[in-house]
Amino acid sequence: MTAPDAGRGIGDGERAAEQTTTFGFPRDSFRILHVSTGNVCRSPITERLTRHFVAQRLGVLGGGLVVESAGTWGHEGAPMESHAETVLTEFGADASGFTGRELLDEHVIMADLVLTATRDHRAQVISMGHSAGLRTFTLKEFTRLVRAIDPATLPPLDEGVVMRARALVRAAAALRGWLLAPTAEADEVYDPYGAPLPFFRSIGEEIHQSLDPVVTALTGVSTRA
């Protein structure tokens, strides 16, 4: 079996799902997969900001949360775009050691929550099968749904972040048909590939604003100063 990328916990389909402890992750884990097109701009920013936000709230990226990313036309082995690295650094997040990946069936199989940059990405993930429909959302869609969920209805953090995260996804899926976007574009994070740094910064801020309430809901801990 091929070893996964360091720090990502991607293994070899169902066998890896049964043996996650082999790769240093707890068997009882919750895996978040961020998806964009090339996996060099939007999804790397989202992956690394998610890790950063969780570390701010919980002290370490632990408690069974595994955060990773891939691209529907992923630039396999490519580095993150330099402007994306700059944006992450400006947010205080770690941009080091990243390499792009093409989205594979095993990534979807192992993910408990898939957050995509656009509706097209969401459709592509769902079309891969693996019963992905109820756990795949655009990032902004998931943020909108999470804001409508009463935190008091979720398991407290002392019962474990994994249990809380799974309950959050179930609650968001139940709300999806009732809480629609005001416009189709409201659920999109546009591609900054090839754009100047100011546009990357604006996309980074969109992602930042969308992720903050999501990670707060996942962890049960608000942003720390």
Side-chain angles (χ1 to χ4, degrees), residues 100-181:
R101 302 186 309 171
E102 183 176 357
L103 181 66
L104 302 176
D105 288 278
E106 67 184 61
H107 303 151
V108 177
I109 290 168
M110 297 177 70
D112 297 288
L113 172 62
V114 184
L115 296 176
T116 70
T118 69
R119 292 168 295 148
D120 282 347
H121 297 135
R122 182 184 64 194
Q124 288 180 64
V125 171
I126 293 172
S127 74
M128 294 171 73
H130 315 303
S131 303
L134 291 178
R135 52 194 166 91
T136 302
F137 309 79
T138 73
L139 171 61
K140 289 187 173 180
E141 174 191 23
F142 194 65
T143 302
R144 184 176 68 254
L145 298 172
V146 161
R147 289 183 184 277
I149 296 169
D150 181 355
T153 65
L154 300 173
L157 187 58
D158 59 12
E159 293 186 15
V161 69
V162 170
M163 183 178 293
R164 183 181 178 92
R166 289 175 178 164
L168 183 68
V169 172
R170 289 194 300 269
L175 281 175
R176 179 149 43 189
W178 299 93
L179 192 61
L180 302 178

Side-chain angles (χ1 to χ4, degrees), residues 65-88:
L65 288 181
V66 181
V67 185
E68 51 209 6
S69 64
T72 55
W73 290 89
H75 299 178
E76 190 73 31
M80 190 186 311
E81 283 289 296
S82 60
H83 288 339
E85 290 186 354
T86 298
V87 167
L88 283 171

Side-chain angles (χ1 to χ4, degrees), residues 4-54:
D5 292 343
R8 279 183 160 151
I10 285 298
D12 198 15
E14 294 179 355
R15 180 180 175 189
E18 295 172 356
Q19 298 180 344
T20 51
T21 52
T22 301
F23 302 130
F25 293 108
R27 187 182 303 277
D28 188 19
S29 63
F30 184 90
R31 309 178 80 91
I32 303 171
L33 176 67
H34 295 292
V35 175
S36 62
T37 303
N39 194 215
V40 291
C41 298
R42 289 167 292 181
S43 51
I45 292 173
T46 315
E47 173 194 320
R48 294 304 177 91
L49 274 183
T50 302
R51 295 185 183 190
H52 179 63
F53 281 163
V54 171

